[in-house]
Amino acid sequence: MFVNTMPRYEILSADSIAVLERGWRRIVSEIGIQFAKPEAVELFAKAGQQVDGDVVKLDPDFVLEQVAKAPREFDVQARNPAHNVHIGGDHMVFSAVYGCPFVREGDVRRDATLQDFRQLASLAQAYDELDSAGGVICEPNDAPLDSRHLDMIYALQTLTDKIYMGNVVSGPNAADTIKMTEILFGGLGGAGRTSIERTPATISLINCNSPLRWDDRMLDAQFEYCAAGQPVVLTPFLLMGAMSPVTIPAALTQQLAEALSGIALAQLIRPGCPVIFGSFLSNIDMQSGSPCFGTPESAIGLLCTGQIARHFGLPFRTGGGLTSSQVPDAQAGYEALMTMLPTFLAGANWVMHSAGWLEGGLVAGYEKFVVDVEILQMLQAEFTPLEIDEGSLAFDAHTEVGHGGHFLGAMHTLERFRTCFYRPMLSSSDNYERWMRGGGLDAAARATTIYQQKLEEYEAPPIDDAIRQELEEYVVRRRAELGD
Amino acid sequence: MFVNTMPRYEILSADSIAVLERGWRRIVSEIGIQFAKPEAVELFAKAGQQVDGDVVKLDPDFVLEQVAKAPREFDVQARNPAHNVHIGGDHMVFSAVYGCPFVREGDVRRDATLQDFRQLASLAQAYDELDSAGGVICEPNDAPLDSRHLDMIYALQTLTDKIYMGNVVSGPNAADTIKMTEILFGGLGGAGRTSIERTPATISLINCNSPLRWDDRMLDAQFEYCAAGQPVVLTPFLLMGAMSPVTIPAALTQQLAEALSGIALAQLIRPGCPVIFGSFLSNIDMQSGSPCFGTPESAIGLLCTGQIARHFGLPFRTGGGLTSSQVPDAQAGYEALMTMLPTFLAGANWVMHSAGWLEGGLVAGYEKFVVDVEILQMLQAEFTPLEIDEGSLAFDAHTEVGHGGHFLGAMHTLERFRTCFYRPMLSSSDNYERWMRGGGLDAAARATTIYQQKLEEYEAPPIDDAIRQELEEYVVRRRAELGD
């Protein structure tokens, strides 16, 4: 996995952080946070917090005491140990796009299907730059609503041997995720694996219904996962102008109030439960109300979020290949990088939506998937520290080549030419004549060929037959119970 | 003009800088630099440097003594004082693409013409994000070769009232640039302007014929400009693998040796002559030999260059909207930003190729021009420091909106909604239905409409009739002298 030991780019002064600190303290204590689940409110009440209906007014110091119980770093195990991940510190984990109702292939935009889900999961498995296919990559609209989470988990477990995200639509869905994960990992540490309670094997996204409200179904899922010791990514969902005020500092304080309150709850459910400080922060277009991605505001928010999360000693989630663009065009290219480069500058630990995001997240794009993997590859190369020593200066190459010559045939070049530079999979540097002979295809058109070939070459990672059978039986039984 | 007071992103340790220091010292003293102009060699010989034919072996401490004579910051005046620029410190100057033999409009790629030159100069005038149209935006292939520099300078002087770059094809071309600049600025400080000797009014790009060789025609131009006190951008032209070794540290030491030797020469010609430490650093594809842009290597080189230039107290040039892509597609979008975002992180003072660069610089793209201006706009917004104080936290908006509501109609929002967020000119966040109703156009197709409309709305900045006439007479006379 990728470890980012390059410097962090930090833009907040100590004074600014102190202002933000006062801000979230005031929100949680004076306005409070709404928890639409009585068990959550009860936990806070028992812990001495002031409760008014389903609104909890939190003592900020109590919140910080809870937050301090969360581990600074933790592991998530994959069924292939080579794909285990470490979350926190300098480690960065990348997962595919999440939650798209539609897909785009070339000029066709249509409802996503289970076959799309499987193909996108396979692509995520096939690209080394991705550590996970994520969870709900796209909505399998052709699968029954009540049981499609089973299809998705089964696909993630069998088509990939990387870590995967749990379903969060309801408590029972979360329970299914955990049970299937226990089957895959051989119950309590069987099949040479660590028990999923000792080393978590799934990680789940719990979104806040911002502003300042945690919803019942998400909380049901959070209770299941936290009780089972499986990490949760507690993410304020902030499109400034709609779910938060229009100023970045206001959004950052709200984000702190929401994320820290969710993390405190996780620690009340199970002290020491691994959590991630989540951020999903952008803005709407104030004329149309449409969400905008890859904006300057989101990049600034992202950089600040990293610094704030480190201030609290928490691993954090942000970033991705976000764009508002409807197609994988120039806008999609620059907007994706406009978020992804700051993601690396901030050293985000958990990066969802790293490949495939189009149209504000409504569409999983096959071609965009390839564009994003290329961007990831480039940034992983760029954020690898440069080694500078006498040997790297190649003085002898200069004595060999002299003035006005060229280095193409120099010994120093010949020894290194195969690996010296980043080699793109999508980007073309062909001269015009060669490019025209190749059909004059733009990046999106070339990406079609690339993902199709990758799917053709895809091989499912091997899985123990008994485990596969047990998973299948579980899916069949639960599907019947759910009436599908 | 844009002032970048955000932090610099620096990745070199003091130890690394010391290694690079030893590297350039060894190159200039042991291998030496070739100057293909006897007057240059003579200046170095007179100053006590060791000369062997046209190769000068330089004492590194002598080089630094010369470099220390260059101003850390300086001004360049425009005929419209509102467009004067300051070069150095936190100031960033952006100019359009430079030197393209071809243009691309939509699907058409063709030889550039004088009409293209005029249109691109007009676009550079029209966009506030650009401080200059640059110099040889594109080659006016339909104008006579010997006198087209006159057409270009005249177009830059009359179609724009921003600063412009001088012609560097030969010494006489440079002399023409200076004379026409004197006419425009009213001789010795007439028409309310400062003498161009006291405050320079043109700035010129002197490329090194890397490795380690300064060519005669470029040197002829440098002698003219430096003698007239007009700044020069001394730029090693390094495509790693061809003009420099394949390791970044080697390229950085070579860049230092070349740029510092050129700067030393400028100071010998005229002590105190304003200079810019130039960098044009990328790599070739080792399979095809094609130049690659927007690569991880070029971004790393760029960040290091900024740090090195600051180490020597010199304003520096690097960056731009570079790409290898043949068309304004996703690749063009991410590659342009892959260079331009580090350009801002490094705080480059002089940024050529900020708009319009396509196909490795062979093509000036009209649509790409618009893509790049959008990127510039976004980054200028992003690199504006965030103000964080109690007022920005919008606590009252939270008390107004409460839990699970929205901020669309909040007082805090209504007071700020017109200006609170970056407003794109090209990027679309339209929902799918609206986007389809608008024709389902990608960013490149939308850019066509945008640049065409900008050209329609273009108004030439007013110019004194007498000055215009004097310029025209100069052009006619010189064209006749040159036999065209």
Side-chain angles (χ1 to χ4, degrees):
Chain A
M1 66 177 300
F2 182 72
V3 182
N4 181 350
T5 56
M6 292 278 277
R8 301 290 168 264
Y9 186 63
E10 304 205 320
I11 63 177
L12 289 174
S13 66
D15 282 354
S16 294
I17 292 182
V19 172
L20 299 177
E21 279 267 27
R22 288 195 292 275
W24 78 263
R25 286 173 168 266
R26 208 171 158 202
I27 291 175
V28 298
S29 59
E30 295 182 31
I31 300 177
I33 309 287
Q34 190 174 30
F35 292 89
K37 180 175 167 75
E39 292 86 341
V41 177
E42 226 164 83
L43 281 176
F44 282 113
K46 269 193 200 156
Q49 300 307 292
Q50 189 191 326
V51 164
D52 181 6
D54 55 4
V55 171
V56 183
K57 293 195 174 165
L58 291 151
D59 170 2
D61 292 326
F62 166 81
V63 171
L64 291 184
E65 278 165 33
Q66 300 310 310
V67 167
K69 294 176 185 166
R72 297 179 77 92
E73 306 187 16
F74 58 91
D75 294 313
V76 179
Q77 58 178 328
R79 74 175 170 93
N80 177 351
H83 292 153
N84 290 349
V85 302
H86 183 73
I87 294 176
D90 289 337
H91 290 67
M92 296 182 74
V93 180
F94 301 94
S95 64
V97 69
Y98 185 106
C100 309
F102 305 103
V103 293
R104 176 177 283 275
E105 283 184 287
D107 288 338
V108 178
R109 178 193 191 266
R110 55 173 173 71
D111 283 357
T113 65
L114 188 53
Q115 177 63 4
D116 289 314
F117 187 95
R118 289 181 179 135
Q119 290 190 345
L120 292 164
S122 301
L123 285 176
Q125 170 69 14
Y127 283 114
D128 290 341
E129 290 73 18
L130 293 170
D131 302 290
S132 172
V136 186
I137 313 169
C138 61
E139 275 295 336
N141 293 296
D142 55 343
L145 189 61
D146 284 346
S147 64
R148 65 172 64 149
H149 65 287
L150 302 168
D151 300 309
M152 289 191 274
I153 300 162
Y154 179 77
L156 292 168
Q157 291 183 320
T158 54
L159 296 174
T160 88
D161 60 5
K162 299 180 174 180
I163 65 161
Y164 54 88
M165 300 183 74
N167 195 280
V168 293
V169 168
S170 69
N173 282 16
D176 280 330
T177 304
I178 293 165
K179 280 179 192 139
M180 290 177 73
T181 300
E182 282 170 345
I183 293 169
L184 184 69
F185 285 80
L188 292 173
R193 311 294 303 130
T194 315
S195 137
I196 73 159
E197 204 169 348
R198 227 175 81 202
T199 305
T202 188
I203 176 167
S204 299
L205 175 67
I206 305 296
N207 278 338
C208 188
N209 183 355
S210 306
L212 310 181
R213 175 182 161 90
W214 294 94
D215 268 345
D216 51 349
R217 291 163 71 96
M218 281 271 179
L219 284 177
D220 289 348
Q222 179 178 351
F223 268 71
E224 291 287 345
Y225 287 119
C226 291
Q230 304 303 296
V232 283
V233 188
L234 295 145
T235 306
F237 192 93
L238 303 183
L239 294 171
M240 289 183 280
M243 297 86 143
S244 88
V246 294
T247 49
I248 297 172
L252 291 172
T253 51
Q254 181 182 337
Q255 179 175 276
L256 267 164
E258 293 175 352
L260 295 181
S261 70
I263 291 169
L265 174 61
Q267 303 309 315
L268 289 179
I269 299 169
R270 179 176 173 134
C273 181
V275 296
I276 292 178
F277 181 101
S279 172
F280 184 86
L281 174 53
S282 196
N283 58 280
I284 61 167
D285 176 314
M286 295 307 292
Q287 274 67 48
S288 67
S290 293
C292 301
F293 296 99
T295 63
E297 289 80 8
S298 65
I300 294 166
L302 196 167
L303 293 169
C304 294
T305 294
Q307 202 173 342
I308 290 165
R310 277 188 293 280
H311 177 74
F312 289 95
L314 292 165
F316 70 106
R317 172 236 163 162
T318 185
L322 311 188
T323 179
S324 304
S325 186
Q326 300 83 4
V327 284
D329 60 356
Q331 178 186 342
Y334 64 68
E335 285 187 339
L337 191 58
M338 190 81 175
T339 305
M340 200 48 112
L341 211 163
T343 303
F344 278 74
L345 288 169
N349 303 114
W350 181 256
V351 187
M352 295 177 66
H353 311 304
S354 297
W357 170 294
L358 264 184
E359 214 189 289
L362 289 175
V363 172
Y366 281 91
E367 285 81 7
K368 178 65 165 27
F369 203 102
V370 175
V371 168
D372 288 338
V373 172
E374 175 86 58
I375 288 175
L376 264 188
Q377 262 190 207
M378 288 201 297
L379 292 175
Q380 291 182 1
E382 184 170 329
F383 283 77
T384 299
L386 191 58
E387 279 178 36
I388 299 189
D389 54 23
E390 300 293 339
S392 64
L393 299 188
F395 185 79
D396 292 345
H398 280 293
T399 53
E400 184 185 341
V401 169
H403 305 94
H406 67 75
F407 292 83
L408 293 168
M411 187 64 71
H412 182 268
T413 304
L414 294 176
E415 285 166 4
R416 288 165 181 79
F417 78 98
R418 282 182 205 284
T419 56
C420 56
F421 300 135
Y422 171 76
R423 291 175 73 169
M425 71 170 174
L426 171 65
S427 304
S428 164
S429 61
D430 283 348
N431 65 42
Y432 181 67
E433 291 68 28
R434 190 182 163 92
W435 178 73
M436 284 300 281
R437 281 199 305 274
L441 302 177
D442 70 7
R446 296 194 302 271
T448 303
T449 312
I450 292 171
Y451 88 78
Q452 286 173 347
Q453 192 180 332
K454 200 79 178 173
L455 282 177
E456 269 169 37
E457 292 165 3
Y458 167 82
E459 284 181 38
I463 186 167
D464 183 279
D465 278 343
I467 289 178
R468 178 192 287 275
Q469 201 181 329
E470 201 179 336
L471 287 171
E472 281 173 3
E473 284 164 8
Y474 185 89
V475 169
V476 169
R477 177 167 60 78
R478 282 289 292 146
R479 198 192 305 278
E481 288 170 10
L482 292 165
D484 288 331
Chain B
M1 65 176 302
F2 181 71
V3 182
N4 180 350
T5 56
M6 292 278 276
R8 300 291 168 264
Y9 185 62
E10 304 207 321
I11 64 177
L12 289 174
S13 67
D15 282 353
S16 294
I17 291 182
V19 172
L20 298 177
E21 280 265 27
R22 288 195 292 276
W24 78 263
R25 286 174 167 264
R26 212 175 154 198
I27 291 175
V28 298
S29 59
E30 295 182 30
I31 301 177
I33 308 288
Q34 190 175 30
F35 292 88
K37 181 176 167 75
E39 293 85 342
V41 177
E42 226 165 85
L43 281 176
F44 282 113
K46 268 193 202 156
Q49 302 305 293
Q50 190 191 326
V51 164
D52 180 6
D54 56 2
V55 172
V56 183
K57 293 195 174 167
L58 292 151
D59 170 3
D61 292 326
F62 165 80
V63 171
L64 291 184
E65 277 165 34
Q66 300 310 311
V67 167
K69 295 176 184 166
R72 298 179 76 94
E73 307 188 15
F74 58 90
D75 293 315
V76 179
Q77 58 178 329
R79 75 174 169 95
N80 177 350
H83 292 154
N84 290 350
V85 303
H86 182 75
I87 294 177
D90 290 336
H91 290 67
M92 296 182 74
V93 180
F94 301 94
S95 64
V97 68
Y98 185 106
C100 307
F102 304 103
V103 294
R104 177 176 281 276
E105 282 185 287
D107 288 338
V108 178
R109 177 192 190 268
R110 55 173 172 73
D111 283 355
T113 65
L114 188 54
Q115 176 64 3
D116 289 314
F117 187 95
R118 289 182 178 134
Q119 289 191 344
L120 292 164
S122 302
L123 285 176
Q125 169 70 14
Y127 283 114
D128 290 341
E129 290 74 17
L130 293 170
D131 301 291
S132 172
V136 185
I137 313 170
C138 62
E139 275 295 334
N141 293 294
D142 55 343
L145 189 62
D146 284 345
S147 64
R148 65 172 63 149
H149 65 285
L150 302 168
D151 301 309
M152 289 192 273
I153 299 161
Y154 180 76
L156 292 168
Q157 291 183 319
T158 53
L159 296 173
T160 89
D161 60 6
K162 300 180 174 180
I163 65 161
Y164 55 86
M165 299 183 74
N167 195 279
V168 292
V169 168
S170 68
N173 282 14
D176 280 331
T177 304
I178 294 164
K179 281 180 192 139
M180 289 176 73
T181 300
E182 282 170 345
I183 294 170
L184 184 69
F185 285 81
L188 292 174
R193 310 294 303 130
T194 315
S195 137
I196 74 160
E197 203 170 350
R198 227 174 84 203
T199 304
T202 187
I203 176 169
S204 299
L205 174 67
I206 305 296
N207 278 337
C208 187
N209 182 357
S210 305
L212 309 182
R213 176 183 161 89
W214 294 94
D215 269 345
D216 50 349
R217 290 163 73 95
M218 281 271 177
L219 285 179
D220 289 347
Q222 179 178 350
F223 268 71
E224 291 288 344
Y225 287 119
C226 291
Q230 304 304 296
V232 283
V233 188
L234 293 146
T235 306
F237 192 92
L238 303 183
L239 294 170
M240 289 183 279
M243 295 86 141
S244 88
V246 294
T247 49
I248 297 171
L252 291 172
T253 50
Q254 181 182 337
Q255 179 174 274
L256 267 165
E258 293 175 352
L260 295 182
S261 69
I263 291 170
L265 175 60
Q267 302 311 313
L268 289 180
I269 299 169
R270 180 176 172 133
C273 179
V275 295
I276 292 180
F277 182 101
S279 173
F280 183 86
L281 174 54
S282 194
N283 59 279
I284 61 167
D285 176 314
M286 295 307 290
Q287 275 67 49
S288 67
S290 294
C292 301
F293 295 99
T295 64
E297 289 80 7
S298 64
I300 294 166
L302 196 167
L303 293 169
C304 294
T305 295
Q307 202 172 341
I308 290 166
R310 276 189 292 281
H311 176 74
F312 288 94
L314 292 165
F316 70 106
R317 171 236 164 161
T318 185
L322 311 188
T323 178
S324 303
S325 187
Q326 301 81 5
V327 284
D329 60 355
Q331 177 186 342
Y334 64 68
E335 285 187 340
L337 191 58
M338 191 80 175
T339 305
M340 200 49 113
L341 210 161
T343 303
F344 278 74
L345 288 169
N349 302 115
W350 179 256
V351 188
M352 295 176 66
H353 311 304
S354 296
W357 169 293
L358 264 185
E359 214 189 291
L362 289 176
V363 172
Y366 281 90
E367 285 81 6
K368 177 66 165 26
F369 202 103
V370 174
V371 168
D372 288 337
V373 171
E374 175 86 60
I375 288 175
L376 265 187
Q377 260 190 210
M378 290 201 296
L379 292 175
Q380 292 182 0
E382 184 170 329
F383 283 77
T384 299
L386 192 59
E387 279 177 37
I388 299 190
D389 54 22
E390 300 293 339
S392 64
L393 299 188
F395 185 80
D396 292 345
H398 280 293
T399 54
E400 182 183 343
V401 169
H403 305 94
H406 67 75
F407 292 84
L408 293 168
M411 187 64 72
H412 182 266
T413 305
L414 294 176
E415 285 166 3
R416 288 166 181 79
F417 79 99
R418 282 182 205 284
T419 56
C420 55
F421 300 136
Y422 171 76
R423 291 175 74 167
M425 71 170 175
L426 171 64
S427 305
S428 164
S429 61
D430 283 349
N431 65 40
Y432 181 68
E433 291 68 28
R434 189 183 163 91
W435 178 72
M436 284 299 282
R437 279 200 305 275
L441 302 178
D442 69 8
R446 296 194 302 272
T448 303
T449 313
I450 292 171
Y451 88 77
Q452 287 173 347
Q453 193 181 331
K454 200 76 179 175
L455 281 178
E456 269 170 37
E457 292 166 5
Y458 167 82
E459 284 182 37
I463 187 167
D464 184 280
D465 279 341
I467 289 178
R468 178 193 285 275
Q469 199 180 332
E470 200 180 338
L471 287 171
E472 281 171 5
E473 284 164 6
Y474 186 89
V475 169
V476 169
R477 178 168 59 79
R478 283 290 292 147
R479 200 193 302 281
E481 288 170 9
L482 291 165
D484 288 332

